[in-house]
Amino acid sequence: MVKITELAAQKVKEILKAQNKENSSLRLYLAGMGCSGPNFGMALDDSKTDDDILDEEYGVSILIEKKLSNYLEGAVIDYMETETGGGFEIRPAVPFNGGGCDSGCCGGCGGSC
């Protein structure tokens, strides 16, 4: 379902070890909806529910709520390093087609979802 690059998996494992949470999973969650589509966040999570899908790649367990699977199918979690630092990025396989701000698509644009 969701892919993770080898570099991103390595960084996640470093974080898990630093926080003494080697048995935790990386949870992807919906952090909000904007005009360009859904915004996702990541957190470490110790529990899996019946509403979760569990993926594992490069030794990293990834949890996603089933209701988010349409948004995240084929997405890639990557780690980007720049001159100013580094961070994780979630790239969806298919760009969101929400119609843009002209259609009053979201609260961030003055409309409502």
Side-chain angles (χ1 to χ4, degrees):
M1 159 138 217
V2 172
K3 303 289 184 195
I4 187 168
T5 66
E6 193 170 357
L7 176 60
Q10 176 186 338
K11 294 295 184 180
V12 169
K13 287 190 246 182
E14 288 173 10
I15 293 168
L16 290 169
K17 185 174 182 173
Q19 294 187 15
N20 199 25
K21 293 189 169 202
E22 285 95 337
N23 295 323
S24 293
S25 299
L26 182 66
R27 177 173 293 282
L28 303 185
Y29 61 90
L30 183 64
M33 189 67 92
C35 290
S36 61
N39 297 308
F40 296 100
M42 297 186 292
L44 301 180
D45 196 337
D46 295 328
S47 61
K48 179 185 179 297
T49 71
D50 291 338
D51 293 328
D52 289 332
I53 297 170
L54 174 65
D55 275 340
E56 189 168 336
E57 193 166 8
Y58 295 113
V60 174
S61 297
I62 304 167
L63 292 173
I64 304 159
E65 284 186 63
K66 290 177 186 174
K67 66 182 180 181
L68 299 178
S69 63
N70 289 341
Y71 293 116
L72 290 169
E73 182 69 40
V76 176
I77 302 168
D78 200 0
Y79 187 85
M80 309 300 289
E81 293 183 0
T82 66
E83 293 176 8
T84 58
F88 292 96
E89 175 183 55
I90 303 170
R91 291 190 306 265
V94 179
F96 180 72
N97 187 12
C101 291
D102 294 329
S103 64
C105 64
C106 61
C109 303
S112 60
C113 293

